Amino acid sequence: VGQAPNRAAPMAEAPGEAEGRRGGITAALANSRTLKPFFSSTFSDFTDEREHLTKHVFPQFIKMCEEKSCMFSPIDLRWGITSEQSTAGQVINICLNACENSRPFFITCLGERYGWQRGPPPGEEGHDELYQRTLEEGKRNFPWIADYEDRAVTELEIMQDFLHDAENGRPVDTTHMHVYFRKPRPEHARDRRMVDGESVVDEECGAKLEALKERLRQSPVAPIEYDTVEELGEYVLDDLTAMLKGVVAAQQLANSNVAEGGYVAVDTERESHEFFGAKI
């Protein structure tokens, strides 16, 4: 993987400057020296991206972490949800808990599929009863999703990590949260539905996906477009490196008693630049 294409790094205020901030590299997280970003996307149409990251990008980054005595433990739920858990309606609970536990690190890719959703409301043709059961279970731990029952799992993951807070005016540190849009191609999979026994492109899903992408364009996390898995790999390695720099810088500050027991504050311009992993 080579040098990532030049791009401006969005700057953010230091974690802890706002009371009740969610996210941010805490002193405890810095001292654990663990990076565990959650990788969010629809599954079947992002196999190539996930495989490229797993086989070509992550091994390089693991070596970088080892040099800094850090641990890298990415969360990829392709193998993390059993059929029994799915049948029991636990998918949303598992996914959103994984998002919560991975904060402040998050990576999501969006392509041409919106993903698994309930479809029409209960009682209407095409309604997914399993997804509805999954929603009901999810609302026990994440009651806010009651207002978003018509949304796909992938959108709920993005909302859980930062978008729901950002859109409701709550502070959330998005320094190490990243959104990638894959440039569309005709051969990319689309959501489909059955009409009179024939499979057709689901235009409603397409509209929901475009609405989500537009909301992300207006969010604190500026989406980056990529064309090939190799290009995505360059971006991800670049952003993972910034995460590592942030953890190392935060631990150095914590160890020097600049901050204790809470969010790590960055005092100088130089330290702030390193902490936020600004990319040239």
Side-chain angles (χ1 to χ4, degrees), residues 4 7 38-41 46 49 53 57 106-112 158 162 176-183 209 213 216 221-228 231-241 243 279:
R7 56 182 166 134
F38 180 79
F39 189 89
S40 169
S41 78
F46 276 92
E49 281 86 349
L53 294 177
V57 176
F106 181 70
I107 294 172
T108 188
C109 288
L110 293 177
E112 296 302 296
I158 295 169
F162 71 89
H176 298 301
M177 298 182 182
H178 304 282
V179 176
Y180 306 99
F181 290 169
R182 184 175 59 195
K183 294 180 181 178
L209 177 61
K213 288 182 176 180
L216 288 168
V221 181
I224 298 296
E225 282 195 328
Y226 73 93
D227 190 26
T228 66
E231 185 180 3
L232 173 66
E234 292 174 354
Y235 282 132
V236 170
L237 183 58
D238 189 40
D239 289 326
L240 289 175
T241 301
M243 294 180 192
K279 295 169 275 292

